[in-house]
Amino acid sequence: MRCYFKSVVWTVVGVAVLTSIYIYCRRVQLTESMELRRTQYQYSSVSRNSSNESCSQDVVKNPVCLSASVRLLAGIIPKTQGYLTVGLSSVKRKKENYLMTTLRSIFTQSSEDELSQMVVVVLLADFDVSWVQETVTSIEEQFSTRLSQGQLLVIHADQDLYPPLTGLKRNFNDAPDRVTFRSKQNVDYAFLVDFSAGLSQYYLMLEDDVTCSKGFLTSIRGHVQSQGSSQWVTLEFSKLGYIGKLYNSKDLSRLAQFLYLFYQEMPCDFLLSHFRTLLMQDKVIRFRPSLFQHMGLYSSFRGTHNKLKDEDFQHDPADNPPADVYTDIEVFEKHAPDNAYSQGTSFFWGKSPIYAGNYFLIAFHRPVVPSRILIQTGLDGKDLLKSADVVVGEIVLKTGSGVECTKNHSMGSLKEGQFEQLNVQETLKQPVLCLKITVTDKQEDWVIVRNIQVWIDKEKKKD
């Protein structure tokens, strides 16, 4: 009986002790939570590990779990997957800072419909906590709507989560501070890319000092669709560094690990090129005009003057609505007619002789109202189309000998191989289905049609 009583007493004491410990831990937890909310610089830990593998707390030993170490500072993660994630990393600069201008360009150059399919992820990658705090405050003040709508996320990774950034290999004979800068940048992008996996169907790499073309998401969508079922790893919408590089989200986790594992070997743009070739895309697939322009005058490294510009950039790129392209000019090798309209780096190249009456015809899939038409022929002053008229037509007829563009409206003639017509919509009463270039005089030279670009009148399109 005495043993039984002693057993009961010890059981009661044990339960009391455990209850006390539980209450104490809960109080500590709640106190810490309240203190965290009171701090001005508030972090929300976010785990977006897309690998489904268990995460080690040591990111250096476990690069698979990069995103588990990234903290969300501002914004709301979208509940549904969008079309495009735009990712950029920003650090404190010695001279001018361009981040806010870049964000304004992204949002003002996009329609509300485009923004509903997009999320912008900004990694504040500086170790200066005061600068990070000030930047978050500025972003919240200037882009509160975008943050609340899940169109803008601000993230950060603590310094102690980075691998060693000093005493690294001096590949390319770079100075030690340069090696540290570019190595850290690779890790920055590894964090950014891995966090972005799964947010959308595609991921676009930008820098924090760029301006954007109007409606760049729509242009990107059109170029992606133009690839059809062909396999690609990277599509490029700028020729500069790692600006405007597009990836499938399914490749982002591998890209993040690749950047992390080889972070000290070479600069980011070199690694991105190697990643593309390792996944069996040998050739660069770049589109023109470029959709993004480098605007920064001073580099984020040492604050040195930076003159990088993309000559192919256009602030308002052509729409080039879906169309079929035809010609009766003999094609040279793989320089097909579609190349003149696709806005890629390729072009149409036709063999001579070229006779009066030969044509180049764009047949739109749906009626359109052009506002501007631009035609560029020749390359470096050679192989110009010397004499041709330009018309748009309301009807497309397929005949036994080819395709006809009828019920035409004259636009004018090429001059020195070039043509441009503005405000086309002011003279057209009806939408058109075709654009035709007709040769008016025989020439012995071959011909290059480099670009045929069509802008659509947005107002009449709505009607």
Side-chain angles (χ1 to χ4, degrees):
M1 185 72 178
R2 190 175 297 172
C3 292
Y4 174 78
F5 177 79
K6 186 182 294 186
S7 176
V8 170
V9 169
W10 279 113
T11 301
V12 171
V13 170
V15 170
V17 169
L18 290 173
T19 302
S20 299
I21 292 173
Y22 174 78
I23 293 172
Y24 174 79
C25 290
R26 287 292 296 162
R27 284 178 177 174
V28 170
Q29 189 177 31
L30 289 171
T31 302
E32 289 177 346
S33 177
M34 292 175 65
E35 286 298 319
L36 184 63
R37 291 177 185 176
R38 290 193 190 103
T39 58
Q40 184 179 7
Y41 185 42
Q42 180 180 353
Y43 283 119
S44 290
S45 295
V46 175
S47 176
R48 293 189 54 79
N49 178 28
S50 55
S51 66
N52 293 324
E53 296 186 26
S54 59
C55 285
S56 165
Q57 294 299 314
D58 190 348
V59 180
V60 177
K61 296 179 180 178
N62 190 3
V64 172
C65 299
L66 289 166
S67 61
S69 304
V70 172
R71 296 184 177 185
L72 181 66
L73 306 186
I76 302 171
I77 295 178
K79 295 180 180 179
T80 58
Q81 188 182 58
Y83 182 80
L84 182 68
T85 296
V86 179
L88 55 145
S89 174
S90 187
V91 295
K92 182 180 180 180
R93 293 174 181 257
K94 294 182 178 180
K95 295 187 179 180
E96 296 183 44
N97 192 292
Y98 309 98
L99 175 59
M100 300 303 169
T101 304
T102 298
L103 290 176
R104 278 193 293 272
S105 180
I106 292 172
F107 292 123
T108 59
Q109 292 295 86
S110 305
S111 67
E112 288 301 322
D113 180 61
E114 289 170 326
L115 290 174
S116 69
Q117 306 168 60
M118 183 194 312
V119 57
V120 181
V121 180
V122 179
L123 171 68
L124 298 181
D126 206 277
F127 297 148
D128 184 338
V129 176
S130 297
W131 177 84
V132 172
Q133 178 182 342
E134 292 169 2
T135 305
V136 170
T137 301
S138 296
I139 291 174
E140 289 175 335
E141 290 174 350
Q142 299 184 41
F143 303 101
S144 59
T145 300
R146 303 305 171 192
L147 289 167
S148 64
Q149 292 180 349
Q151 296 168 353
L152 175 60
L153 305 174
V154 185
I155 61 175
H156 178 73
D158 292 337
Q159 183 174 359
D160 59 2
L161 298 174
Y162 280 71
L165 296 176
T166 58
L168 305 178
K169 298 179 183 179
R170 290 187 57 187
N171 296 340
F172 309 102
N173 201 33
D174 282 345
D177 61 340
R178 174 65 184 174
V179 173
T180 293
F181 174 82
R182 62 173 171 80
S183 297
K184 177 186 175 298
Q185 195 172 54
N186 286 333
V187 181
D188 294 341
Y189 280 114
F191 282 125
L192 174 62
V193 166
D194 200 55
F195 177 88
S196 300
L199 289 176
S200 59
Q201 190 174 353
Y202 299 101
Y203 173 83
L204 179 73
M205 181 83 80
L206 287 187
E207 293 185 33
D208 67 343
D209 57 350
V210 301
T211 55
C212 307
S213 292
K214 186 177 181 180
F216 64 86
L217 182 145
T218 299
S219 297
I220 288 173
R221 187 193 296 273
H223 290 310
V224 170
Q225 291 174 347
S226 73
Q227 296 302 297
S229 59
S230 63
Q231 298 297 310
W232 55 269
V233 178
T234 310
L235 300 182
E236 302 190 6
F237 297 93
S238 171
K239 68 179 183 181
L240 300 177
Y242 33 88
I243 296 174
K245 304 303 183 280
L246 188 76
Y247 300 89
N248 285 283
S249 281
K250 64 181 177 62
D251 293 329
L252 292 186
S253 293
R254 280 185 292 180
L255 175 58
Q257 294 174 45
F258 182 77
L259 291 171
Y260 192 95
L261 290 171
F262 299 101
Y263 79 100
Q264 64 174 306
E265 303 297 335
M266 60 188 68
C268 184
D269 49 345
F270 290 11
L271 285 176
L272 294 180
S273 295
H274 282 295
F275 182 76
R276 168 177 56 79
T277 55
L278 284 170
L279 293 189
M280 305 307 292
Q281 180 188 320
D282 295 329
K283 296 182 179 179
V284 173
I285 305 175
R286 186 167 72 84
F287 295 93
R288 293 185 305 180
S290 296
L291 301 179
F292 307 96
Q293 178 66 285
H294 182 266
M295 67 171 175
L297 296 177
Y298 300 98
S299 170
S300 55
F301 174 63
R302 293 180 178 173
T304 55
H305 196 266
N306 195 334
K307 298 180 180 180
L308 287 176
K309 292 295 177 185
D310 190 336
E311 298 83 4
D312 294 329
F313 173 76
Q314 282 190 10
H315 185 267
D316 185 10
D319 298 297
N320 277 26
D324 297 317
V325 186
Y326 304 91
T327 186
D328 60 354
I329 300 172
E330 185 179 356
V331 179
F332 174 64
E333 294 184 350
K334 296 182 180 179
H335 297 277
D338 288 345
N339 292 343
Y341 188 70
S342 66
Q343 302 195 79
T345 54
S346 301
F347 48 82
F348 166 75
W349 204 351
K351 295 182 178 181
S352 64
I354 296 167
Y355 298 98
N358 283 149
Y359 66 87
F360 208 95
L361 189 147
I362 311 294
F364 304 114
H365 292 175
R366 295 181 180 179
V368 299
V369 179
S371 61
R372 177 187 173 195
I373 298 171
L374 176 67
I375 300 169
Q376 297 172 308
T377 75
L379 190 63
D380 298 327
K382 299 178 181 179
D383 295 339
L384 298 168
L385 180 54
K386 298 175 181 177
S387 180
D389 291 335
V390 180
V391 300
V392 291
E394 298 178 25
I395 300 174
V396 175
L397 295 176
K398 293 187 177 181
T399 66
S401 58
V403 180
E404 293 291 337
C405 186
T406 64
K407 202 173 182 181
N408 295 330
H409 306 268
S410 176
M411 294 288 102
S413 302
L414 270 67
K415 295 181 180 179
E416 298 181 354
Q418 317 302 317
F419 174 86
E420 183 172 20
Q421 181 66 51
L422 303 174
N423 302 317
V424 178
Q425 76 279 8
E426 295 180 1
T427 58
L428 283 179
K429 304 299 182 183
Q430 297 292 333
V432 296
L433 269 172
C434 49
L435 165 66
K436 186 176 183 181
I437 307 166
T438 305
V439 179
T440 54
D441 199 6
K442 180 181 177 181
Q443 69 178 60
E444 296 297 330
D445 295 332
W446 288 25
V447 63
I448 287 175
V449 182
R450 196 168 72 251
N451 276 313
I452 299 177
Q453 296 178 294
V454 179
W455 286 257
I456 303 303
D457 184 72
K458 302 299 190 298
E459 295 303 318
K460 290 192 177 181
K461 185 178 179 181
K462 292 177 182 177
D463 298 338

